Each structure stands twice: as C-alpha cells, then as structure tokens.
Amino acid sequence: MDYTRFVALRGPMHDELEAQLERARRRPNDLSYDELETLAVRYRQVLHDHSLASARFPGTAAAARRRRLVLEATHWLHRDAGERLPSLRRFVTTDFPRAMTAAAPAIGVAAALFVVSALLGFAVVAVDPALAGLFLGEEAIDGLHRGTLWTDSIFAAAPAALLSGAIARNNLTVALTAFGGGALAGLGALYVASLNGVMLGSVLALVERFGLGGALLEFIAAHGPLEITLILVSAGAGLHLGRALVAADDRPRAAALRVAGREALLVLFGSLPWILLLGFVEGFVSPSNAVGWRAKLLLGLLLEAAFVLWATAPWLRALPSAEDGAA
C-alpha cells in the first residue's frame, strides 16, 4: 500500500476517532455504551495503523498523526473517571507541559527571530545612535546625557504598588497581542517577537554608549530573563495557532485549528500567573537600591529556572514512554 492510498483509505476513520475523542473530552459522562465501544474498536484500528505508518512511512505527517492519536486515545481510555474532570492538578502536571511541548517548535522560531532582531537593533544603533529615538523619548535620552536612566525618574515619581499594577497590565497586553497575532497566519506573533528584539538590542546599544549598560542590566536582572521568555512563549503560542491556519498536514483544517487552539490557550493560561508575578518583581524589587545586583540576578535566574522546569516537566517524561509502550 502506497502512502497516498493509505491516507485516503484510513484518513476518514482517523478523523472520526479524533472527533469522538474531542467529544469525549468535553462531555465524558454523555457517552453511551455503544459510543464507548465504537471508540475502543477505532482505538484498536488506529493502533494497527500507527504500527504500519511507523514502519512504512516514518517521519511523515501520517505517521506523526497516528502516533498522536494513539497517545491521546490511550491516555483517555486508561485514566480513572475522576481524572476526566478538568482540575488544577492535571493542568499543572500534564496539560501545560504537553501544550508547551507541542508549541516548542513555534516558540523556537520566535526565539530565533528575537535574537536576530536584537543583534540587528544593537548593530544599527551602534552605528547610528539617533535611531534609538524610535524607542526612547527625548526625556529619556536627555537623562542618559546626564548619566541617569529613565527608570530612576519613573520609579521615583509613583508608588511601587501603582507601578507594579501598570507594569503587569502592560506585560499582559504584550502577551495577548503576541498570542492574538497568531490569527493573522502567525504574522502578528512574528512581528511582536521581532519588534521586542529590535527594541532590546537598540536600547542596550544606546545605554552602553553612555556607559550605563551595567546599570540597565542590574535593573532588568530580576525580571528580564523570565519576561523575555514569556513574551516569546506567548508569541510562540500565537505562531503555533497560525501554523494550523496555513499547514494542517493531513487533517481537516477545522480539526487542526481545534487542537492547535486548545494547545495555544493552555500555553497562554499557564504564562499569565507568571506575568502577574513579574509585575510585582519589576515594581518592588528591580528598582530597589536595598537589593544588590547579585540578589536580583539570583532571583531572575531562579524565576526563569522554575518556569522552564515546569514547562518541560522532566518528572513527567515517563508518562509518554508508558503510553508509547501501550501503543
């Protein structure tokens, strides 16, 4: 059996299984015994097709899809009834890490674009500092001439609690914009990633020209690493959604969008609490002269490590292996 015939013959049954799994996840208690039996029969069929596709068509979209269907069906059929209800524990230990894994390629693209844009912004402003005026106002640039950062006047003029809330709202806006940009075939998410990269590179080049690079790095040490990560994760989630709009592999586009949309939303929801936490850190810790740069850097690295460890969930790596064994 060649690849095209395999997809044509087995694709409709796999579409039905995927749709039935989606209904089962949404309303598990509404399944009749006949529907559950049909799901089990289709599950056994897709197990066979998974083995066939892995052996004859490795590395293809069909093989990847069958493997994913086997994992999803195995997970749904073999868990306890109590686990079928949405829960915070399941979100923390399973749903978010798996969604991050699915969106990882898109996050990688956003991160690569961010780095390239930051280097470009740094190089351009190093040659022509006037271009930094696109991102910094005249007052901020005048402050650099006086040997002070714009952050000094901002945090001296308003209470930390007020600024913390404003920072959190701004970061949420950036994250939601990056995510929502995925609806434009991913172009909006790419724009947010590149724009933030150019801004960071340009500003670093300018403040370094005035000998204030160390002061700026000290200010962003506590919140900067995770803040950049969360922007890229949000952009990656939007790009993951946008990819389903233009490349649905061998699935119906509606099915691809449904799966990608759920995964992207899980990534976004998992990032939001960290964005709120960073608002507090940036409002109270980053501008504080009572906290040394070493303590700020340590806090920034700990926050980054905590998020990455949760997102990659190394303690759950055995779960996919167990399901692979069942397949």
Side-chain angles (χ1 to χ4, degrees):
M1 183 184 296
D2 61 24
Y3 180 76
T4 304
R5 187 181 178 196
F6 173 76
V7 173
L9 289 177
R10 309 304 291 165
M13 186 276 291
H14 299 148
D15 294 342
E16 292 172 1
L17 175 61
E18 190 168 48
Q20 193 170 18
L21 279 173
E22 181 64 24
R23 291 195 300 271
R25 280 192 293 262
R26 291 181 179 179
R27 297 184 298 273
N29 295 328
D30 292 344
L31 285 181
S32 67
Y33 288 110
D34 288 341
E35 289 174 323
L36 187 59
E37 184 177 358
T38 301
L39 192 152
V41 170
R42 287 174 176 161
Y43 169 62
R44 289 193 292 271
Q45 291 172 335
V46 82
L47 278 175
H48 173 269
D49 291 345
H50 164 58
S51 301
L52 178 63
S54 298
R56 295 192 181 181
F57 317 116
T60 62
R65 185 189 183 193
R66 275 69 188 173
R67 180 180 182 277
R68 179 180 56 77
L69 277 175
V70 166
L71 293 179
E72 290 181 0
T74 301
H75 178 66
W76 194 88
L77 288 168
H78 289 273
R79 57 186 173 169
D80 293 334
E83 295 182 19
R84 293 177 183 163
L85 298 175
S87 68
L88 179 61
R89 180 186 64 81
R90 176 182 163 185
F91 174 80
V92 170
T93 62
T94 305
D95 289 348
F96 178 75
R98 284 184 172 174
M100 282 290 294
T101 299
I107 296 172
V109 171
L113 181 61
F114 175 86
V115 171
V116 171
S117 300
L119 293 175
L120 179 62
F122 189 95
V124 169
V125 173
V127 174
D128 186 0
L131 293 176
L134 295 172
F135 305 111
L136 289 176
E138 292 183 5
E139 185 176 348
I141 295 177
D142 290 341
L144 293 177
H145 283 284
R146 296 191 299 270
T148 61
L149 291 174
W150 60 93
T151 55
D152 297 337
S153 58
I154 291 175
F155 285 91
L162 181 62
L163 287 173
S164 178
I167 291 168
R169 286 193 299 273
N170 178 71
N171 290 342
L172 282 171
T173 300
V174 173
L176 292 173
T177 301
F179 174 80
L184 301 174
L187 296 178
L190 294 175
Y191 171 75
V192 171
S194 58
L195 177 63
N196 279 272
V198 170
M199 288 177 59
L200 178 63
S202 300
V203 171
L204 284 176
L206 185 64
V207 297
E208 182 61 28
R209 189 180 185 89
F210 287 93
L212 294 172
L216 180 61
L217 291 176
E218 178 181 345
F219 173 76
I220 67 175
H223 68 273
L226 183 55
E227 183 175 299
I228 292 172
T229 298
L230 293 175
I231 290 174
L232 297 180
V233 165
S234 300
L239 188 59
H240 182 61
L241 178 61
R243 179 185 178 278
L245 284 169
V246 298
D249 51 61
D250 69 330
R251 291 177 293 172
R253 194 169 303 279
L257 279 173
R258 183 169 59 249
V259 173
R262 181 177 183 274
E263 291 168 343
L265 281 173
L266 287 171
V267 170
L268 179 66
F269 290 157
S271 302
L272 293 182
W274 297 85
I275 293 174
L276 297 176
L277 174 62
L278 283 182
F280 174 84
V281 173
E282 191 172 351
F284 287 89
V285 179
S286 296
S288 175
N289 293 324
V291 183
W293 70 267
R294 290 183 180 84
K296 292 178 182 178
L297 179 59
L298 178 60
L299 176 60
L301 294 177
L302 287 175
L303 288 172
E304 176 75 3
F307 178 79
V308 170
L309 284 174
W310 177 39
T312 56
W315 58 87
L316 292 174
R317 286 177 184 165
L319 182 57
S321 297
E323 292 178 345
D324 287 343

